[in-house]
Amino acid sequence: MTDTSPPNTRQKTGRARTGDAGSVRTLERGLNVLTSLAELGQASLTQVAKAAGLSASTTYRLLETLRQGGFVEWEERSGLFSVGVRAYQVGAAFAGRNTLMNAAQSEMISLVGDLGETANLAVLRENEAVYIHQVEGSQLVRMFAQLGAGTLLNCSGVGKVLLAWQGEEDVAGRLGAQPYAAFTPNSITTLPAYLKELAKVRSQGYALDDEEREIGVRCMATPLRDHTRQVVASLSISAPTSRFSREQVPAFYERMDAASRVISARLGWTP
Amino acid sequence: MTDTSPPNTRQKTGRARTGDAGSVRTLERGLNVLTSLAELGQASLTQVAKAAGLSASTTYRLLETLRQGGFVEWEERSGLFSVGVRAYQVGAAFAGRNTLMNAAQSEMISLVGDLGETANLAVLRENEAVYIHQVEGSQLVRMFAQLGAGTLLNCSGVGKVLLAWQGEEDVAGRLGAQPYAAFTPNSITTLPAYLKELAKVRSQGYALDDEEREIGVRCMATPLRDHTRQVVASLSISAPTSRFSREQVPAFYERMDAASRVISARLGWTP
DNA sequence: TCCCTAGTTTGCGTACAATGAAAATCAAGT
DNA sequence: ACTTGATTTTCATTGTACGCAAACTAGGGA
């Protein structure tokens, strides 16, 4: 979960390697193929090759190897590739061992029980927030977030929380080029506005996504910290505005803050 | 989901490649490292190297590459590796696209609603049955199956179902050397006994795991078929013997059979 | 029916990437 | 400090992954 400083970031000699330092190119490419395929969902050889930026023959051999390992499936009928069971198994290993998910599980359930809305757990990964766990609310309205999916950092509550306690240069780097993509008129699209918002998040202790990602959906996110006191994840509740008004914000926060504290404590956090 | 005949199983020239044909060794090794790590859960470099059967330096570079890609995480404090978020994301892509899971979801929920016990969905992968989906029962007793985990084929209901309509040589191959591992005195440990059991499964249309894996747990599994009429997955219900007696078998079967037929139909199966 | 086109698969020679051995660091015990 | 064990880096060598191009497929269109 830490994943902070790579063992060998420092490049003693200024020698410019192909990509990053100490990497095995072939594996890098293979993982790229797998990731591309995951994003495409289902694709032909050439589509994957194009997405991964590799030649057809190379892609063919990599896909074939992935297939033999069960990480990729190949439907004979259509000739299309898709992600295989083995990938799912490995991913499940992450979920099983993950201390974060285990620490959060019971609190999330009780939170959902009290508020009736869907709770999500997200972590920061490169330049997106990834939802790694979800407990669905009792309500019938299906919430947007797809498990395992990445979300843009500029227009989600969890994104704000995950960046709020990071350095400004880091924040800017992760957000990329302005103006940021907007989903609704409320989306924040510039760095200054975003930094200002982060300051607000820090002072109030929670972030709000006020129909910034989807009209009619409000969302509150709180930080989870571990023994290092760093924010390692974000807990969030999403609900249609009809059931989550501005007036309810304090009440929601009180409940979410309590849950966050319990989870953080389980992760070794001390106030 | 099909994954039947590899594009190039036929070896024209008898040229013996290192392992299988047309594989990229480095990627193969990298995936091996990832899989080994997934099984170990959390491990040091040397442990992974040993598990994957590679030299320390090679393993180091592969792990480092996997880490850069987010497939592996490295906890600075302990220096241990574990599976990373990216692997989870890719696995989630499998779950999302998977027609099988989508087809089964609603029926599994209704099944659990009616029977009150945990339902599982499993597919065949190499020589194990992999649980890919689960809907937990309302009862408080936690069932054994871990999502994404593989189960031995000889002592589980889903294993029997998944093999029952396969050729005998295939069955024997997947089960490996006799005697098979036994978990309880009821476990089937020899091929003849297992084949006889499979015949029974074929004639009655369901398989029973009668405390063969764990004393006190009974389990019923039924086949799911797709448009090819092949068995592509197995649905199962597990319950403590106290709530699932032999007398209840016919009643359970009636309900499960109905669910199986609905799911199979969604997969394009025609009677 | 037979091309024609776009996609997939295989052969082959070469460049260079991945490798293991061993050296260099690093981290803890004793 | 000394020893032991694990991790990281260097380095020369080999064999592997690569791209090109050729051989195959397969699905339309005319």
Side-chain angles (χ1 to χ4, degrees):
Chain A
M1 201 76 326
T2 319
D3 201 17
T4 34
S5 62
N8 55 354
T9 312
R10 54 240 144 86
Q11 289 265 89
K12 283 180 186 173
T13 45
R15 161 180 44 102
R17 280 249 197 172
T18 317
D20 291 45
S23 276
V24 181
R25 194 183 67 159
T26 308
L27 178 54
E28 215 169 22
R29 288 178 162 190
L31 296 175
N32 239 12
V33 164
L34 183 58
T35 309
S36 303
L37 184 58
E39 277 162 13
L40 292 168
Q42 190 166 43
S44 70
L45 171 62
T46 15
Q47 287 176 291
V48 177
K50 196 171 296 173
L54 296 171
S55 80
S57 40
T58 300
T59 309
Y60 173 75
R61 285 180 284 241
L62 294 175
L63 273 174
E64 178 51 22
T65 306
L66 286 164
R67 198 191 58 72
Q68 277 170 30
F71 284 84
V72 157
E73 272 164 10
W74 183 72
E75 202 194 2
E76 192 161 27
R77 175 195 279 271
S78 62
L80 296 179
F81 293 89
S82 58
V83 175
V85 204
R86 197 55 161 276
Y88 183 74
Q89 280 192 78
V90 173
F94 167 86
R97 291 271 153 194
N98 198 266
T99 47
L100 186 51
M101 285 176 61
N102 294 331
Q105 171 75 357
S106 64
E107 274 305 307
M108 285 175 73
I109 290 178
S110 117
L111 189 63
V112 169
D114 288 356
L115 300 180
E117 306 293 346
T118 300
N120 280 291
L121 183 66
V123 297
L124 185 59
R125 149 100 209 131
E126 301 263 300
N127 44 22
E128 55 181 20
V130 181
Y131 289 102
I132 62 169
H133 193 48
Q134 181 173 71
V135 174
E136 299 210 358
S138 47
Q139 310 285 352
L140 292 176
V141 184
R142 211 164 243 306
M143 221 67 294
F144 57 90
Q146 168 74 25
L147 251 197
T151 314
L152 293 194
L153 292 165
N154 65 315
C155 46
S156 64
V158 291
K160 293 176 191 172
V161 164
L162 292 169
L163 291 184
W165 287 268
Q166 304 290 101
E168 295 207 350
E169 46 333 307
D170 184 35
V171 172
R174 296 199 196 246
L175 285 170
Q178 302 176 59
Y180 311 137
F183 285 87
T184 78
N186 299 335
S187 300
I188 297 174
T189 59
T190 68
L191 183 57
Y194 194 74
L195 291 176
K196 209 168 159 192
E197 176 79 4
L198 292 192
K200 198 170 151 197
V201 171
R202 279 192 298 274
S203 73
Q204 57 188 15
Y206 65 88
L208 226 54
D209 155 10
D210 216 341
E211 304 187 82
E212 290 163 35
R213 193 244 181 58
E214 192 179 340
I215 289 295
V217 175
R218 194 164 282 137
C219 175
M220 174 180 280
T222 52
L224 299 179
R225 303 160 197 273
D226 69 1
H227 59 89
T228 67
R229 308 217 168 160
Q230 297 262 317
V231 174
V232 292
S234 173
L235 182 66
S236 87
I237 286 279
S238 322
T241 46
S242 56
R243 295 198 302 259
F244 183 11
S245 68
R246 294 236 169 91
E247 288 70 45
Q248 287 172 281
V249 166
F252 268 59
Y253 176 55
E254 192 181 355
R255 184 64 192 83
M256 283 195 71
D257 186 48
S260 308
R261 281 171 193 278
V262 173
I263 300 171
S264 292
R266 285 201 192 130
L267 295 173
W269 171 77
T270 46
Chain B
M1 199 75 327
T2 319
D3 201 19
T4 35
S5 62
N8 56 354
T9 312
R10 53 242 144 84
Q11 286 267 86
K12 283 180 187 174
T13 46
R15 161 181 44 101
R17 279 251 198 173
T18 316
D20 292 43
S23 277
V24 181
R25 192 183 66 158
T26 309
L27 177 54
E28 216 170 22
R29 287 176 161 192
L31 296 175
N32 241 11
V33 165
L34 183 57
T35 309
S36 303
L37 184 57
E39 278 162 13
L40 292 168
Q42 189 167 41
S44 71
L45 172 61
T46 11
Q47 287 177 293
V48 176
K50 195 171 297 174
L54 296 171
S55 79
S57 38
T58 300
T59 309
Y60 173 75
R61 285 179 290 241
L62 294 175
L63 273 174
E64 177 53 20
T65 306
L66 286 164
R67 198 191 57 74
Q68 277 170 30
F71 284 84
V72 158
E73 271 164 10
W74 183 71
E75 203 194 2
E76 192 162 24
R77 174 196 278 273
S78 62
L80 297 180
F81 294 89
S82 57
V83 175
V85 203
R86 199 53 161 278
Y88 183 73
Q89 281 193 78
V90 173
F94 167 86
R97 291 272 152 195
N98 198 267
T99 47
L100 185 53
M101 285 177 59
N102 294 330
Q105 170 74 359
S106 64
E107 275 304 308
M108 284 175 73
I109 290 178
S110 115
L111 188 64
V112 170
D114 289 357
L115 300 180
E117 304 294 346
T118 300
N120 280 293
L121 183 65
V123 297
L124 186 59
R125 149 102 207 130
E126 300 263 301
N127 44 21
E128 53 181 20
V130 181
Y131 288 102
I132 61 169
H133 193 49
Q134 178 172 74
V135 175
E136 299 210 357
S138 47
Q139 311 285 351
L140 289 177
V141 183
R142 210 162 244 305
M143 221 65 295
F144 56 90
Q146 168 74 23
L147 249 196
T151 313
L152 293 194
L153 292 165
N154 65 314
C155 46
S156 65
V158 292
K160 293 177 191 171
V161 164
L162 291 169
L163 291 184
W165 286 268
Q166 302 291 99
E168 294 207 350
E169 48 330 307
D170 184 35
V171 172
R174 294 194 196 250
L175 285 170
Q178 303 175 58
Y180 311 137
F183 286 87
T184 77
N186 299 334
S187 300
I188 298 175
T189 59
T190 67
L191 183 56
Y194 194 73
L195 291 175
K196 209 169 160 190
E197 176 79 3
L198 292 191
K200 197 170 153 200
V201 171
R202 279 192 297 273
S203 72
Q204 57 188 18
Y206 65 88
L208 226 53
D209 156 9
D210 217 343
E211 305 188 81
E212 291 164 33
R213 193 244 181 58
E214 193 178 340
I215 289 294
V217 175
R218 193 164 281 138
C219 174
M220 174 180 280
T222 53
L224 299 179
R225 302 160 198 273
D226 69 0
H227 59 89
T228 67
R229 306 215 169 164
Q230 297 262 320
V231 174
V232 293
S234 174
L235 183 66
S236 86
I237 286 278
S238 322
T241 47
S242 56
R243 295 197 302 259
F244 183 11
S245 67
R246 294 238 168 91
E247 289 69 46
Q248 287 172 281
V249 166
F252 267 59
Y253 177 54
E254 192 180 358
R255 185 64 193 81
M256 283 195 71
D257 186 49
S260 308
R261 282 171 193 279
V262 173
I263 299 171
S264 292
R266 285 201 193 129
L267 295 172
W269 171 75
T270 46

